[in-house]
Amino acid sequence: SKDGVGHVIALLGTVRAEEPGKELELSIDHRIQYLAYRYLADAVTQVSAAAGSVIVLDVKTGEVLAMANVPSYNPNQTVDTRIDSLRNRCVTDTFEP
C-alpha cells in the first residue's frame, strides 16, 4: 500500500487463507416487520415526532424479529429521499431506556 506521493506505507500480505462461508438465515418475520413499521409510523404521526425506531426481539433467543425506523426510505425510489432517513437509527443512535 502507498500514500499519496508514492511512498510504501506497509507491505500487506494474506494473514490467513480464506474459508468458504456458512449459510446465513435471517430472523426477520415479515408479518411482524410489517406491523412494527405500520404501528410505528402511526405513532410518530399521532404525536408529531421527528422520528421513531422500534426493535422486536425474541427474548429467549435474542433473534431480531423486526426492526423499523421512521422516517424510512425505499432504495428503489431515491428521488425525494431525505438525508436524515438514510441512517438506520436502530443501530446508529444511542438511547437511554
Side-chain angles (χ1 to χ4, degrees):
S1 172
K2 297 182 180 183
D3 65 11
V5 293
H7 298 110
V8 174
I9 297 173
L11 299 175
L12 303 175
T14 303
V15 175
R16 64 180 174 177
E18 68 279 351
E19 297 176 19
K22 303 215 181 334
E23 291 206 18
L24 175 67
E25 185 175 328
L26 299 180
S27 59
I28 298 288
D29 181 306
H30 71 279
R31 297 164 299 215
I32 298 172
Q33 177 68 33
Y34 170 78
L35 292 172
Y37 178 78
R38 183 171 155 205
Y39 287 122
L40 176 64
D42 289 347
V44 166
T45 300
Q46 188 176 27
V47 299
S48 301
S53 299
V54 63
I55 301 172
V56 180
L57 300 172
D58 181 329
V59 296
K60 292 181 181 175
T61 64
E63 291 178 318
V64 177
L65 302 176
M67 183 182 294
N69 295 287
V70 171
S72 66
Y73 78 102
N74 180 344
N76 296 314
Q77 298 173 349
T78 58
V79 175
D80 293 324
T81 300
R82 294 181 1 206
I83 193 73
D84 65 331
S85 68
L86 295 178
R87 77 178 192 266
N88 184 344
R89 295 172 188 272
C90 290
V91 295
T92 61
D93 292 9
T94 57
F95 69 96
E96 199 171 312

